[in-house]
Amino acid sequence: MYLSRFLSIHALWVTVSSVMQPYPLVWGHYDLCKTQIYTEEGKVWDYMACQPESTDMTKYLKVKLDPPDITCGDPPETFCAMGNPYMCNNECDASTPELAHPPELMFDFEGRHPSTFWQSATWKEYPKPLQVNITLSWSKTIELTDNIVITFESGRPDQMILEKSLDYGRTWQPYQYYATDCLDAFHMDPKSVKDLSQHTVLEIICTEEYSTGYTTNSKIIHFEIKDRFAFFAGPRLRNMASLYGQLDTTKKLRDFFTVTDLRIRLLRPAVGEIFVDELHLARYFYAISDIKVRGRCKCNLHATVCVYDNSKLTCECEHNTTGPDCGKCKKNYQGRPWSPGSYLPIPKGTANTCIPSISSIGNPPKFNRIWPNISSLEVSNPKQANVCDNELLHCQNGGTCHNNVRCLCPAAYTGILCEKLRCEEAGSCGSDSGQDAPPHGSPALLLLTTLLGTASPLVF
Ligand SMILES: *[C@@H]1O[C@H](CO)[C@@H](O)[C@H](O)[C@H]1NC(C)=O
Ligand SMILES: *[C@@H]1O[C@H](CO)[C@@H](O)[C@H](O)[C@H]1NC(C)=O
Ligand SMILES: *[C@@H]1O[C@H](CO)[C@@H](O)[C@H](O)[C@H]1NC(C)=O
């Protein structure tokens, strides 16, 4: 049923004897897995890299608290108003719906007044630490696309660690440390994401930005996905092409934004003063009104649809791939090793479809070509060959945009956008940098020629 819709749109784009089509006006974030095109052989499918839309992932998670009985209200208890130790007439009672604060309330719709929130028991057992783990599990790899935002109803904790797992909770890595005093709490120098750069973007930092107790109005803690994206895509993420190019070529970067589980480790509640007021321990507790996690199912660029069925997220795989993340080739489609789709060339990417196994069919279908034949495109469609939209591809350092696909870099530069000094990449930058760079054949260009399978180097 989708296909007919796509057909009518794509009929407008059809060009004769060309695999590539004019680009949609808006930067399409890989939202089609295939289109029908016309060639000498008639109508055929053209396959492209594709991914599901980014969405609110809190609808699909399971939440687990440790210790399991840490939620307030069983038995009922009285707690004090935030910041006022003498206003202790608030009550938490798990058996009365209006007075209960179960974990689900972290994920319900906010915007009503008063806001609904999860709340822990109070710090009655001081000086024994009041610690809570909140584990969010998707049972599916997901890619984060926006900041994780945690809104506290209490003061923000004095110490907290955000952790992530990539293997369904078997192993955990810290994602970010939060403290009023990083040195004291974690023996780390305080940093902000803004202190990082393209080269240090994967560093795990401790931040003091979000940990002041009652003294400020703000109740929010961020894990800054967008600021990290911005090191590649620019301040307002206008150059997503650059980000996608980097994600494509740097597995570590891709993995950094990929999780199966998140864990919020609350280590010390907001105290707001130097000393804990032992006479009013009902002042100290954790309360969270909202957690935002936006992302998309990781489908290895082989699906645009991710279904939630039986409390399970699964990619609806195309390109004859299969598995929850489209991580392998279907039976009888193992004619070449599985590989993820690629964001390159920009903007349509490469599907890297699975092809029929040699034994099951004589000749593999013709249109599983990995990359379009750019040199033939130039010849057959000269007008399109030099179409370049610098909104899509901001080549740097004098690089020129080729076909909206690649930046052609001056000899001394390399990288998707010519953003890197070549000697820097080789670790050989000296005072006469640039001069010792090889005269031609930048890595990007070599890659291109290799994938095209043309023996003669492309001349531009
Ligand atoms: C929270 O999880 C960590 C491991 O990530 C574990 O060491 C710690 O004991 C847990 N804390 C609680 C209160 O369950
Ligand atoms: C996958 O296989 C089916 C036949 O089972 C075929 O019709 C389809 O075109 C194939 N898709 C791709 C992307 O190769
Ligand atoms: C690419 O196109 C050129 C010009 O039409 C042709 O000579 C060449 O054989 C093609 N290469 C491949 C790999 O199809």
Side-chain angles (χ1 to χ4, degrees):
M1 66 198 156
Y2 284 119
L3 299 186
S4 57
R5 206 186 86 219
F6 292 161
L7 255 180
S8 60
I9 297 169
H10 292 281
L12 302 171
W13 293 0
V14 163
T15 53
V16 178
S17 70
S18 153
V19 177
M20 290 190 114
Q21 299 158 0
Y23 301 99
L25 291 175
V26 186
W27 172 254
H29 289 263
Y30 303 96
D31 47 9
L32 290 179
C33 295
K34 57 185 172 189
T35 59
Q36 258 192 337
I37 54 162
Y38 292 90
T39 66
E40 294 99 335
E41 284 109 52
K43 259 199 251 177
V44 295
W45 286 109
D46 180 28
Y47 298 102
M48 298 168 292
C50 53
Q51 63 184 6
E53 243 184 295
S54 161
T55 179
D56 172 7
M57 294 309 289
T58 60
K59 288 186 242 163
Y60 311 113
L61 58 76
K62 282 202 186 67
V63 59
K64 181 167 162 277
L65 297 193
D66 275 306
D69 59 354
I70 195 67
T71 299
C72 68
D74 185 17
E77 69 177 313
T78 300
F79 60 95
C80 305
M82 239 174 304
N84 185 344
Y86 303 103
M87 243 179 78
C88 299
N89 49 9
N90 290 312
E91 200 186 350
C92 178
D93 179 354
S95 60
T96 311
E98 307 86 76
L99 299 175
H101 294 285
E104 304 87 86
L105 298 181
M106 293 186 277
F107 308 104
D108 64 342
F109 174 72
E110 290 299 321
R112 272 176 295 150
H113 191 79
S115 59
T116 57
F117 51 92
W118 163 78
Q119 185 172 316
S120 75
T122 60
W123 202 359
K124 295 179 291 279
E125 288 169 53
Y126 175 86
K128 186 174 166 252
L130 177 63
Q131 298 190 342
V132 184
N133 285 350
I134 302 173
T135 305
L136 315 180
S137 304
W138 283 272
S139 304
K140 167 84 188 77
T141 44
I142 62 169
E143 296 167 335
L144 302 174
T145 55
D146 203 342
N147 292 1
I148 297 169
V149 184
I150 305 167
T151 309
F152 284 83
E153 183 66 20
S154 61
R156 295 178 292 186
D158 276 352
Q159 291 175 21
M160 172 184 136
I161 309 176
L162 181 66
E163 294 181 330
K164 66 173 269 196
S165 173
L166 250 174
D167 53 11
Y168 309 97
R170 245 178 309 132
T171 60
W172 294 88
Q173 297 87 45
Y175 227 173
Q176 192 146 299
Y177 294 83
Y178 300 84
T180 35
D181 185 336
C182 283
L183 210 52
D184 180 57
F186 302 116
H187 310 290
M188 292 169 82
D189 285 322
K191 268 196 190 169
S192 135
V193 172
K194 297 188 173 66
D195 301 330
L196 300 176
S197 69
Q198 272 196 10
H199 300 285
T200 59
V201 67
L202 304 185
E203 197 183 307
I204 306 302
I205 60 167
C206 179
T207 175
E208 295 178 354
E209 265 177 281
Y210 305 107
S211 301
T212 33
Y214 301 145
T215 50
T216 64
N217 289 325
S218 185
K219 297 174 165 184
I220 291 175
I221 280 184
H222 280 262
F223 179 70
E224 305 89 341
I225 300 281
K226 281 192 157 168
D227 288 343
R228 285 174 170 88
F229 283 170
F231 290 121
F232 304 99
R236 274 182 288 134
L237 304 185
R238 292 188 61 215
N239 192 354
M240 286 301 280
S242 164
L243 175 65
Y244 284 132
Q246 287 294 341
L247 288 171
D248 216 74
T249 48
T250 320
K251 181 176 184 313
K252 265 204 224 150
L253 186 67
R254 223 162 46 225
D255 285 350
F256 185 84
F257 300 109
T258 306
V259 306
T260 56
D261 305 72
L262 289 169
R263 178 176 283 164
I264 300 161
R265 292 181 60 188
L266 303 168
L267 297 175
R268 186 182 157 91
V271 171
E273 289 148 15
I274 295 171
F275 298 108
V276 172
D277 176 2
E278 291 189 51
L279 296 177
H280 300 97
L281 290 172
R283 291 170 69 183
Y284 309 119
F285 53 88
Y286 306 104
I288 295 179
S289 60
D290 191 48
I291 299 180
K292 284 195 168 55
V293 183
R294 278 191 81 80
R296 62 167 61 97
C297 285
K298 177 188 168 84
C299 303
N300 284 300
L301 295 173
H302 289 310
T304 53
V305 177
C306 190
V307 291
Y308 190 60
D309 192 20
N310 254 331
S311 316
K312 240 178 95 89
L313 284 168
T314 316
C315 301
E316 217 155 73
C317 303
E318 306 253 3
H319 304 155
N320 285 315
T321 60
T322 186
D325 303 350
C326 309
K328 54 186 185 187
C329 289
K330 266 192 192 161
K331 198 164 167 261
N332 296 333
Y333 285 89
Q334 286 156 354
R336 66 168 173 228
W338 174 88
S339 106
S342 163
Y343 286 115
L344 300 176
I346 283 158
K348 295 195 338 177
T350 311
N352 292 334
T353 60
C354 289
I355 61 174
S357 308
I358 314 292
S359 55
S360 69
I361 236 177
N363 287 320
K366 222 173 169 174
F367 279 86
N368 279 319
R369 195 150 57 202
I370 298 196
W371 283 50
N373 188 338
I374 289 177
S375 60
S376 80
L377 176 70
E378 279 183 302
V379 176
S380 66
N381 200 348
K383 246 193 258 159
Q384 206 187 317
N386 288 318
V387 172
C388 258
D389 181 349
N390 282 313
E391 282 299 300
L392 294 182
L393 201 59
H394 295 276
C395 302
Q396 301 168 14
N397 295 312
T400 52
C401 167
H402 173 73
N403 238 350
N404 262 344
V405 168
R406 281 280 172 185
C407 295
L408 302 178
C409 307
Y413 292 93
T414 180
I416 307 285
L417 297 173
C418 314
E419 77 280 11
K420 271 184 277 199
L421 265 175
R422 189 186 312 222
C423 62
E424 214 170 71
E425 195 169 72
S428 64
C429 288
S431 49
D432 57 348
S433 66
Q435 272 164 23
D436 51 3
H440 55 73
S442 76
L445 209 52
L446 281 178
L447 175 72
L448 191 62
T449 19
T450 317
L451 287 167
L452 281 168
T454 44
S456 55
L458 299 168
V459 181
F460 302 104

